[in-house]
């Protein structure tokens, strides 16, 4: 993909978003990237601790594959729709 194609793809994706909070987060992310700011510095201590704990869980193999989570979510959503 060329630089122009990547830019066009990003613009297209952003135009599809109507969630103001998500757009604000994206805007802040881009500002931080362009300023050379590390996102880690913006995390609170409890958030950093959660990242460390998650990393340790990954190291111990205590993970659930993404597809398993998505499958479970689909099952739960289909049950919710059936009872509605």
């Amino acid at each position: 993909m060329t630089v122009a194609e990547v830019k066009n793809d990003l613009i297209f994706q952003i135009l599809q978003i109507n969630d103001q909070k998500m757009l604000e987060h994206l805007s802040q992310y881009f500002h931080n990237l362009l300023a050379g700011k590390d996102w880690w510095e913006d995390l609170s201590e409890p958030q950093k601790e959660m990242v460390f704990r998650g990393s340790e869980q990954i190291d111990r193999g205590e993970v659930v594959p993404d597809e398993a989570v998505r499958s479970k979510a689909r099952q739960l959503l289909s049950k919710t729709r059936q009872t509605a």
Side-chain angles (χ1 to χ4, degrees):
M1 220 181 229
T2 67
V3 170
E5 290 170 328
V6 172
K7 286 181 179 181
N8 284 333
D9 184 55
L10 285 169
I11 290 167
F12 177 76
Q13 289 181 61
I14 290 169
L15 290 172
Q16 303 306 308
I17 300 170
N18 291 316
D19 182 324
Q20 184 167 346
K21 288 268 188 212
M22 183 183 291
L23 290 168
E24 289 170 358
H25 285 291
L26 284 171
S27 178
Q28 188 62 48
Y29 179 72
F30 280 116
H31 286 292
N32 289 345
L33 280 177
L34 294 172
K37 190 172 181 185
D38 187 349
W39 59 269
W40 183 258
E41 297 169 14
D42 290 334
L43 295 179
S44 67
E45 287 306 314
Q47 289 171 319
K48 289 178 181 178
E49 180 57 35
M50 287 173 55
V51 171
F52 286 129
R53 270 191 312 208
S55 178
E56 290 169 352
Q57 288 172 327
I58 291 169
D59 291 344
R60 292 190 303 266
E62 298 170 355
V63 297
V64 177
D66 178 66
E67 185 49 43
V69 173
R70 290 177 184 271
S71 176
K72 181 68 174 178
R74 282 191 293 273
Q75 289 174 358
L76 291 171
L77 289 172
S78 80
K79 286 180 185 179
T80 302
R81 288 184 190 136
Q82 291 172 0
T83 60

